[in-house]
Amino acid sequence: DTGVSQDPRHKITKRGQNVTFRCDPISEHNRLYWYRQTLGQGPEFLTYFQNEAQLEKSRLLSDRFSAERPKGSFSTLEIQRTEQGDSAMYLCATSGGDNEQFFGPGTRLTVL
Amino acid sequence: GQNIDQPTEMTATEGAIVQINCTYQTSGFNGLFWYQQHAGEAPTFLSYNVLDGLEEKGRFSSFLSRSKGYSYLLLKELQMKDSASYLCAVHNDYKLSFGAGTTVTVRA
């Protein structure tokens, strides 16, 4: 257990539905990242927050994806009008003053 | 762009040594991470190399050559629990760019 928690751990939804995932970081960590990982691949960067500011969004993050980090604490990642191609593991990672990123257990999304 | 290559699979015997190579061509470089990931679990930190040379940490060692764009992870005295995917990741500014991972299978 790294201290980063994610909820839910698993989500099954039908195509076209909206889903929201939550990440709770290690309390003193000001940087928070979202990654997506598909089977047989490494994690791919989606977006990055420093405190409450979203500083970068990957081209992978289409308009259907939105992420927030109100008050610089927990973060949410919402996917609207889900597609089968969105099925993946969504990983949250956080870091403090050094460079190491601590990963949460991930949310596995299955879109039927 | 980012190009990070590592072998897809490796198999070794319990007690043996395995070396996982990683080559990279990236637009920026601050350092190189190695993570271990068991099936269905999150990646966990193994090592971080910023300068050239070998970093040793127990049974695991990691090497970096920045001029060659090359790193390796050395696993010694392999144990069954070392069966996992090993991810090479380039640290650039604040984000990580990962390779596809190397699945290591340890056989008795």
Side-chain angles (χ1 to χ4, degrees), chain A residues 37, chain B residues 6 35-39 82-87 100-104:
Chain A
Q37 186 175 25
Chain B
Q6 48 182 132
Y35 280 84
Q36 180 191 61
Q37 186 175 29
H38 285 99
D82 297 330
S83 292
S85 178
Y86 291 85
L87 299 162
T102 299
T103 300
V104 171

Side-chain angles (χ1 to χ4, degrees), chain A residues 13-60:
Chain A
T13 191
K14 292 183 179 178
R15 190 176 51 188
Q17 298 295 304
N18 299 344
V19 294
T20 300
F21 310 142
R22 177 180 171 122
C23 171
D24 286 274
I26 295 169
S27 59
E28 62 269 23
H29 284 186
N30 60 349
R31 301 176 190 170
L32 187 145
Y33 313 79
W34 285 98
Y35 293 86
R36 180 171 67 189
Q37 186 175 25
T38 53
L39 197 62
Q41 299 298 317
E44 296 173 293
F45 171 80
L46 293 179
T47 190
Y48 159 64
F49 289 86
Q50 181 149 332
N51 299 311
E52 67 275 9
Q54 187 174 21
L55 298 187
E56 185 171 336
K57 291 171 60 174
S58 163
R59 289 171 297 172
L60 293 174

Side-chain angles (χ1 to χ4, degrees), chain A residues 7-109:
Chain A
D7 183 70
R9 296 290 307 276
H10 303 273
K11 178 70 177 178
I12 300 173
T13 191
K14 292 183 179 178
R15 190 176 51 188
Q17 298 295 304
N18 299 344
V19 294
T20 300
F21 310 142
R22 177 180 171 122
C23 171
D24 286 274
I26 295 169
S27 59
E28 62 269 23
H29 284 186
N30 60 349
R31 301 176 190 170
L32 187 145
Y33 313 79
W34 285 98
Y35 293 86
R36 180 171 67 189
Q37 186 175 25
T38 53
L39 197 62
Q41 299 298 317
E44 296 173 293
F45 171 80
L46 293 179
T47 190
Y48 159 64
F49 289 86
Q50 181 149 332
N51 299 311
E52 67 275 9
Q54 187 174 21
L55 298 187
E56 185 171 336
K57 291 171 60 174
S58 163
R59 289 171 297 172
L60 293 174
L61 217 63
S62 75
D63 292 343
R64 298 185 295 105
F65 288 70
S66 62
E68 295 183 342
R69 193 183 183 196
K71 303 178 183 177
S73 56
F74 71 91
S75 176
T76 57
L77 177 69
E78 180 183 17
I79 309 174
Q80 295 182 327
R81 305 181 302 283
T82 52
E83 301 173 356
Q84 288 185 326
D86 298 331
S87 295
M89 175 77 89
Y90 289 84
L91 293 163
C92 172
T94 71
S95 67
D98 59 13
N99 297 306
E100 182 181 345
Q101 295 188 17
F102 295 82
F103 283 83
T107 294
R108 181 168 295 283
L109 173 66

Side-chain angles (χ1 to χ4, degrees), chain B residues 2 16 19 22 24-25 28 32 41-42 44 49 51 53 58 60 62 72-73 79 87 90 93 95 97 103 107:
Chain B
Q2 318 288 353
Q19 177 174 314
C22 171
Y24 62 89
Q25 290 178 307
L32 191 137
E41 298 182 9
T44 55
N49 292 67
L51 302 176
F60 293 0
S62 57
Y72 68 71
L73 179 70
Q79 301 175 11
L87 299 162
V90 170
D93 288 334
K95 65 184 178 186
S97 298
T103 300
R107 293 185 173 165

